[in-house]
Amino acid sequence: MLHLSNFGFLTAVTLFQAVHSLNACSGADTVFTGTAGIRYRICPGTDLVGRSTSVIQNVPSTNACAKRCDQSMDCFKAVYDTQTRACHFKGLKNLNWVDNDRFDVIQAEQTNIARCPYTETEYRNGGKIYKICKDTDLRGKSAQVMKGVANLNDCAQRCSTTSTCVQAVFDSALKVCHIKADLMTDTLIWSTDKRFDVIRQDIAAEPAKNGAWSDLIRLPVIPVAAYVVPEYPSSQRLLVFSSWGADSFGGEGGRTQFADYNFNSGTVSARTVSNTHHDMFCPAMSSLQDGRILVQGGADASATSFYDPKTNAFTRGPDMKMARGYQTSVTTSDNRIFTIGGAYSGPRKGKDGEIYDAASDTWKALPGAKVAPMLTVDDEGIWREDNHAWLFAWKNGSVFQAGPSKAMNWYGTTGTGSQVAAGVRDPISASMCGVFVMYEPGKILSAGGSPSYTNSDANARAHITTIDKPNAKPKVERIADMAYPRGFSNAVVLPDGTVIVSGGQRRSMVFTDDGGVMFAELFNPATKSWKTLAPESVPRNYHSVSILLSDGRVFSGGGGLCYVGIIGRSSVNCNKLVDHADGQIFSPPYLFNADGSDAKRPMISALSDTSVKVGGRLTVTMQGPAKGFQYTLIRMGSVTHSVNSDQRRIPLTNVTFGNTRATITLPNDSGVLIPGAYYLFVLNAQGVPSIARTVQIKL
Ligand SMILES: *[C@@H]1O[C@H](CO)[C@@H](O)[C@H](O)[C@H]1NC(C)=O
Ligand SMILES: *[C@@H]1O[C@H](CO)[C@@H](O)[C@H](O)[C@H]1NC(C)=O
Ligand SMILES: *[C@@H]1O[C@H](CO)[C@@H](O)[C@H](O)[C@H]1NC(C)=O
Ligand SMILES: [Cu+2]
């Protein structure tokens, strides 16, 4: 009866059910995989109310109906009627998805992709070559829409004769050819979608110039936060986590979903951490001298959890003095952890500093480390104004706050704490959820962000802030803008001192991919300029991360997470296309020879010690001569919400050479060389990095 609505019958039942329309399966759905690998989601007990394009009688089962749909060139959605055993192929417009026990809904699946999952064909015309990936779509704006296009070949032909056409999409259902918008100005996201075929001009990748992104790495959780596990001789694991839900949050869940990803072997495992009774969603994170990571607050806002790389176990730490979420913490020169802000959780006001001392395993309030001078002015008020401070630990226990407020401040961590104004970084606006990184001692690159946390235009501005003595006014230099404005992007300093900024949106808007910037950019400190790199496949916005791996590549992942309100509630109604339980690894240009082949890397054969004191000596033995190489330490990172206050790069300048040995005297100031686990990289004259060895720097 319901399927006759195209004839004008609308029963009271359909009208009633229309009120309860679904945007995702309300129960457990299953997958039917067609002959060409196209996946169909089958949602039992639901109906797609609307016009049927054809009806096949006497179909024995739902799977048989899915098979018939798969065999048909123009079936993307179907409904199986379990009473009449009829298989209805549905149209594409004016459908209403509702609960109804009598029917099962079958829909060709959409999944974001970075590579064509099917065999591609070629189209050539006028010296141009195009690759055709059937059954996929490029979601995003079209520059031109051509109607009445007979087939895929015609669409490819039209693209090849349109000078601006780099990518096109053929809509086989409506016989429309879409010349897609320019990726430089618009966001295009490639996904499987049986209705469409993608035509892409085959342009040489040039990895030595632009770097190269890996295929998508599917993860069992959305990587909202990430840290590298310090391991010897070299780290090979990334731990990532979300909230109590792998793809959802809401409330204080008392547990956290983790994934353990080995970036050498590619293996991934899921892990629920519940023994610390801590939902670690939206926390601050800092690592200590002994390699332990302290995750603080977030959804369970007073709780803290230690991760110990030696045991791979979590233990509960002491509660903070004040409940916090979206605070920033930083490890100080004396191996304590300073934290400030965090009105997102717990009380809204007065989130002055406090400090964790590993020696006594206690937190102490620092009422003199006032939060008020570092507030932004946000459209949503105080909830957002003390979030994600740009903190850098510096000499003699000091902490420098470089943003996101226009104003900068020095914080002192002795006694009851102190605060000293340090001038204005950016007179134009605050830069909430911009990026900040110390790429060499005392030199801070910051870029992007928006005046308000969300619903706020991002900026492309960049600054270099140079700090020297604690409490002294820093030097601020506005440098060239990035090519793209970015809110919610992430920054990673590479062993050669360049900085990769990836992801982010042109207008900050939580939980969307709108205006996502696909191209990464590389900051070069020698020229203080930016260079655009290869585009990532998936937008990485709010709740995304990027982090340096021990092999000199960069992991970029996450974005999204769905608010479901109640702990344990299903995420089926979430829009999975903006919840990114995946990542991609970027190989920077320095890993390639000019012809695109892999560059030969310097090889470290041994370190004299796995643990060295600040100011101490370390001998590196190379496979081959040690001279002519650059030696660099990068503190291992932890990242969430565009904040990585652990990372910093320390080039090593006091080096003497033997034949295959380099003896390094480390910087003698623990405010420069903050205690903790570091990557030791060796770079050759071409700037190609070794695989890093792990070294612990201690007081
Ligand atoms: C280090 O900080 C303490 C406390 O703020 C101060 O008394 C001392 O003079 C500082 N030392 C140096 C060398 O700046
Ligand atoms: C370089 O290291 C030597 C010890 O190997 C030390 O005496 C000297 O002070 C260091 N120089 C600098 C500039 O740190
Ligand atoms: C500490 O290092 C600085 C250079 O970074 C050097 O000038 C100074 O001599 C060193 N001090 C000691 C006591 O080694
Ligand atoms: Cu968050």
Side-chain angles (χ1 to χ4, degrees):
M1 200 54 195
L2 302 180
H3 295 273
L4 300 178
S5 55
N6 52 318
F7 300 112
F9 300 103
L10 265 182
T11 62
V13 177
T14 48
L15 284 174
F16 170 76
Q17 287 183 337
V19 180
H20 300 275
S21 66
L22 306 172
N23 56 37
C25 190
S26 50
D29 54 5
T30 58
V31 172
F32 173 84
T33 306
T35 47
I38 296 160
R39 288 156 56 95
Y40 298 81
R41 289 263 166 200
I42 299 177
C43 183
T46 64
D47 183 21
L48 285 173
V49 182
R51 189 173 164 269
S52 297
T53 53
S54 60
V55 182
I56 308 164
Q57 304 297 342
N58 295 318
V59 175
S61 66
T62 308
N63 266 13
C65 179
K67 196 171 172 186
R68 298 297 286 264
C69 182
D70 183 56
Q71 285 162 350
S72 164
M73 279 307 291
D74 54 4
C75 176
F76 313 101
K77 295 174 188 290
V79 170
Y80 183 64
D81 184 336
T82 59
Q83 278 179 21
T84 65
R85 296 165 29 114
C87 180
H88 295 254
F89 292 180
K90 307 301 289 187
L92 291 167
K93 283 188 183 164
N94 304 320
L95 296 177
N96 190 19
W97 194 4
V98 296
D99 284 317
N100 189 333
D101 283 349
R102 177 174 156 181
F103 302 97
D104 295 338
V105 164
I106 299 155
Q107 299 184 81
E109 189 183 58
Q110 289 173 298
T111 303
N112 294 332
I113 52 173
R115 308 269 192 266
C116 184
Y118 317 118
T119 306
E120 284 175 298
T121 55
E122 261 186 11
Y123 176 86
R124 288 166 185 262
N125 192 21
K128 291 186 191 164
I129 304 173
Y130 296 84
K131 287 212 160 131
I132 293 175
C133 183
K134 293 190 75 172
D135 301 316
T136 65
D137 185 22
L138 278 172
R139 305 194 320 275
K141 268 189 206 152
S142 298
Q144 236 180 304
V145 178
M146 300 168 172
K147 293 191 175 159
V149 176
N151 55 40
L152 171 60
N153 216 56
D154 281 1
C155 185
Q157 196 269 333
R158 304 236 191 164
C159 178
S160 68
T161 54
T162 305
S163 63
T164 53
C165 184
V166 178
Q167 304 187 107
V169 170
F170 179 61
D171 179 341
S172 59
L174 300 180
K175 306 291 180 206
V176 169
C177 184
H178 294 262
I179 308 299
K180 298 307 287 189
D182 187 339
L183 195 58
M184 308 257 263
T185 49
D186 285 282
T187 310
L188 299 176
I189 308 167
W190 199 9
S191 66
T192 60
D193 192 326
K194 192 190 170 188
R195 175 175 160 184
F196 302 98
D197 303 313
V198 167
I199 300 152
R200 297 177 306 138
Q201 197 173 342
D202 197 7
I203 300 165
E206 297 190 276
K209 214 170 123 205
N210 305 319
W213 290 94
S214 73
D215 198 358
L216 281 173
I217 299 149
R218 312 278 173 190
L219 297 167
V221 308
I222 294 174
V224 178
Y227 57 84
V228 176
V229 179
E231 292 172 303
Y232 299 86
S234 289
S235 285
Q236 51 185 336
R237 285 162 58 220
L238 195 61
L239 286 193
V240 302
F241 61 94
S242 53
S243 181
W244 59 257
D247 60 357
S248 54
F249 74 98
E252 299 158 26
R255 63 180 188 273
T256 307
Q257 303 302 335
F258 275 75
D260 190 326
Y261 170 55
N262 185 313
F263 48 84
N264 276 353
S265 66
T267 56
V268 186
S269 57
R271 174 175 182 184
T272 303
V273 176
S274 55
N275 67 305
T276 64
H277 308 290
H278 182 190
D279 184 336
M280 302 179 217
F281 177 55
C282 302
M285 269 188 291
S286 287
S287 59
L288 288 163
Q289 163 173 298
D290 61 9
R292 285 182 302 156
I293 316 274
L294 182 60
V295 185
Q296 312 141 51
D300 280 306
S302 298
T304 70
S305 298
F306 282 107
Y307 171 77
D308 190 340
K310 292 187 189 77
T311 56
N312 197 30
F314 289 83
T315 54
R316 176 95 178 198
D319 282 6
M320 288 183 286
K321 293 285 170 200
M322 205 179 280
R324 301 175 192 266
Y326 284 0
Q327 76 280 25
T328 299
S329 69
V330 70
T331 308
T332 59
S333 64
D334 51 4
N335 192 40
R336 296 185 298 159
I337 294 173
F338 173 77
T339 190
I340 192 164
Y344 175 82
S345 302
R348 294 283 187 250
K349 296 218 179 207
K351 313 277 299 250
D352 299 336
E354 61 183 290
I355 194 152
Y356 171 76
D357 186 352
S360 60
D361 192 30
T362 53
W363 288 94
K364 186 176 112 179
L366 298 178
K370 293 280 176 225
V371 74
M374 59 153 255
L375 298 181
T376 64
V377 178
D378 197 290
D379 290 346
E380 288 183 278
I382 184 63
W383 186 47
R384 301 294 202 185
E385 293 176 347
D386 70 357
N387 296 180
H388 310 310
W390 301 355
L391 299 187
F392 296 90
W394 197 237
K395 302 173 184 197
N396 194 26
S398 68
V399 172
F400 180 68
Q401 176 254 325
S405 50
K406 295 179 187 177
M408 303 178 289
N409 293 280
W410 283 101
Y411 287 100
T413 61
T414 50
T416 53
S418 61
Q419 169 270 329
V420 171
V424 170
R425 181 196 71 265
D426 187 344
I428 301 172
S429 78
S431 293
M432 183 55 75
C433 296
V435 295
F436 54 101
V437 55
M438 191 178 279
Y439 59 91
E440 60 185 67
K443 295 267 183 199
I444 295 162
L445 170 74
S446 58
S450 52
S452 285
Y453 202 108
T454 187
N455 203 11
S456 182
D457 283 339
N459 69 69
R461 295 190 298 277
H463 296 87
I464 294 173
T465 303
T466 306
I467 56 173
D468 184 8
K469 292 202 166 43
N471 297 343
K473 283 244 157 56
K475 184 174 150 246
V476 178
E477 184 187 358
R478 171 134 182 228
I479 57 164
D481 286 2
M482 294 185 288
Y484 298 94
R486 300 175 191 259
F488 305 121
S489 67
N490 282 283
V492 165
V493 63
L494 299 180
D496 63 1
T498 59
V499 178
I500 285 190
V501 177
S502 58
Q505 290 171 290
R506 292 165 174 87
R507 180 175 173 80
S508 296
M509 184 67 91
V510 296
F511 302 117
T512 70
D513 282 340
D514 302 350
V517 177
M518 311 308 281
F519 288 93
E521 288 183 64
L522 189 69
F523 165 73
N524 181 346
T527 56
K528 297 177 184 170
S529 63
W530 299 89
K531 178 181 175 302
T532 300
L533 300 172
E536 198 166 356
S537 302
V538 169
R540 303 289 178 198
N541 300 320
Y542 185 48
H543 289 156
S544 66
V545 297
S546 76
I547 195 161
L548 181 66
L549 306 180
S550 59
D551 54 19
R553 297 182 301 162
V554 173
F555 174 89
S556 167
L561 209 70
C562 181
Y563 179 73
V564 297
I566 294 166
I567 293 156
R569 182 180 276 174
S570 159
S571 63
V572 288
N573 286 309
C574 300
N575 179 1
K576 298 285 199 294
L577 284 174
V578 300
D579 286 345
H580 304 297
D582 54 47
Q584 252 180 307
I585 294 181
F586 184 68
S587 296
Y590 61 26
L591 292 176
F592 300 96
N593 297 316
D595 67 359
S597 59
D598 289 346
K600 189 168 180 292
R601 290 168 162 239
M603 301 268 279
I604 302 172
S605 62
L607 291 192
S608 56
D609 303 276
T610 53
S611 177
V612 191
K613 282 194 169 177
V614 173
R617 274 207 210 173
L618 178 68
T619 298
V620 184
T621 306
M622 300 297 297
Q623 289 184 13
K627 213 168 175 169
F629 291 151
Q630 233 188 301
Y631 297 78
T632 294
L633 288 172
I634 296 185
R635 201 162 181 279
M636 283 189 194
S638 62
V639 58
T640 188
H641 295 80
S642 308
V643 172
N644 184 342
S645 57
D646 268 329
Q647 75 171 333
R648 83 171 39 177
R649 173 177 165 273
I650 315 287
L652 301 168
T653 50
N654 197 346
V655 188
T656 56
F657 297 100
N659 182 18
T660 60
R661 292 179 173 207
T663 299
I664 300 160
T665 303
L666 299 178
N668 56 24
D669 191 326
S670 68
V672 173
L673 194 56
I674 300 293
Y678 281 76
Y679 293 127
L680 178 91
F681 282 103
V682 181
L683 293 91
N684 68 16
Q686 289 74 46
V688 184
S690 66
I691 305 280
R693 292 287 179 112
T694 303
V695 59
Q696 181 206 17
I697 304 295
K698 57 186 183 186
L699 293 173

